[in-house]
Amino acid sequence: MTDVEKKISAIVRGLTDQKPGSQGAVTDDAAMNMRLSDLGLDSLEKMDMAMQLEDAFAVSLDEVEFLACDTVPDLVRLIEGSTSAQ
Amino acid sequence: MRTHPFSILAALIGTARYKFGQFLLNVLARHRASLPARARFELGWQFIRKFQWLFRGRDLSGNRYSSDWKNYAFMRLLAILNNGTDRFVPSIQVYNEGALLQAIEDQVGIVVVTLHSRVHTVLSRVFEERGISHSVIANSLAVQVFSELLGLRGKVDLVRLGDSSLLVARKKLRAGRLIWTCADFTVREPGTLYHDIYVADGLFEFAKNCGARLVYAVSNVSEDGIVEVFLSRPSIDEERASPFALANDFVDFCRTASTAPADWKIGPWTLRERSQTKQFDNFCVHRFPKNMRHRMHD
């Protein structure tokens, strides 16, 4: 797992841990393979996730492109694309 | 807790009274069809005020936001008047416009938070008339028709309420558009006719996260049939206060500005996003003038 993947997985885990009854239920490996749409995030939580990613990687994400991502690998591609664009 | 049979009876009688009032209003409008729209409005509004016991029935049923009965009767009258070619544009009065101008001066984006009041969509007209590009987070395309009835000329830029709405709104906010939306939502008590009314603190968190300025707005219909919009900036430091404290500050403002204050509680944004369904579109399409229904579709 690359550093980018690890950081993103940690953010995803952080969000799932906030859900009642889900604390510690998701490992880094599981986070890599899960669909973000299955997390049941509301738009405020999605915004929180986008802001955490922006802070962690010092990038500015396009909201529409972010919303199109449904897996951690999708997010990795988005982050890497945003980093190289800056 | 179960609904008391008398509550159901009172709601039925209230609905019947309101429906009868609507029927008479329709007859009056048709009978005076040759008059200009303004004169027909004056007649209709006089009728509503004179026979308000009929229209007050709206307080008792289908009024989950506990809005003022005048607002419902007013919108019904507008729908009747705009059912032909002669368009009637209601008068509006904005109070404390300085709150909006002050927020604009800061140039960091504006989030206008309001309450469902049946006439709250007048905000789109307020911004349109002042040349402020804006978007609304709402559940239904009905917001377009409601806004047009209240005098909007252009098209509403709608962000559909859902699990992506705040991110889409953030994009629009960054593009320089003002965002306005209702913060309140209702939750029905299972097995009863009662709704608890909440104000979602997530909206205040959204504004804080985006570094935007907050403006509060409440709209009512006055005794004279004028749509009054009351604006205010938060009374507490919006950069330091928590979303919960800001939500309470907004509720305090609503208690003073609304003609029908309700027992608002603070609730989570998740429930606001999920509080209604898209069936609402189909439900209300039948309530609009026929010549406006096509605008309900994307």
Side-chain angles (χ1 to χ4, degrees), chain A residues 10 13-15 20 22 29 32-33 39 42 49-50 53-54 56 62 66 69 72 76 81 86:
Chain A
R13 269 197 300 112
L15 284 164
S22 304
D29 284 338
M32 275 297 290
N33 298 316
L39 296 177
D42 64 30
M49 185 177 180
L53 289 169
E54 286 174 336
D62 179 85
F66 171 76
C69 296
V72 171
V76 172
Q86 285 183 355

Side-chain angles (χ1 to χ4, degrees), chain A residues 19 40-48 50-51 54 60-64 66-67, chain B residues 162-168 170-171 174 202-203 205-206 209-210 269-270 273-274:
Chain A
K19 297 271 173 194
L41 302 178
D42 64 30
S43 65
L44 196 61
E45 290 165 330
K46 284 182 182 174
M47 199 171 116
D48 185 25
M51 287 173 67
E54 286 174 336
S60 178
L61 297 177
D62 179 85
E63 291 82 355
V64 176
F66 171 76
L67 287 168
Chain B
D163 62 10
S164 305
S165 49
L166 292 184
L167 266 168
V168 176
R170 187 181 83 156
K171 188 177 175 72
R174 283 177 167 179
L203 211 52
E205 191 175 338
F206 165 72
N209 287 345
C210 293
W269 174 256
T270 304
E273 274 186 359
R274 296 168 189 173

Side-chain angles (χ1 to χ4, degrees), chain A residues 4-12 53 57 72 75-76 79:
Chain A
V4 174
E5 287 171 339
K6 274 183 192 166
K7 274 188 184 176
I8 296 175
S9 299
I11 290 170
V12 172
L53 289 169
F57 297 100
V72 171
L75 287 174
V76 172
I79 299 286

Side-chain angles (χ1 to χ4, degrees), chain B residues 16 29 85 91 101 103 105 149 153 161 173 175 178 202 219 254 267 277 291:
Chain B
T85 50
S91 304
L101 298 176
E105 274 176 16
L149 284 175
R153 290 172 179 276
L161 197 60
L173 202 59
L178 173 151
S219 39
C254 295
T277 67
N291 59 347

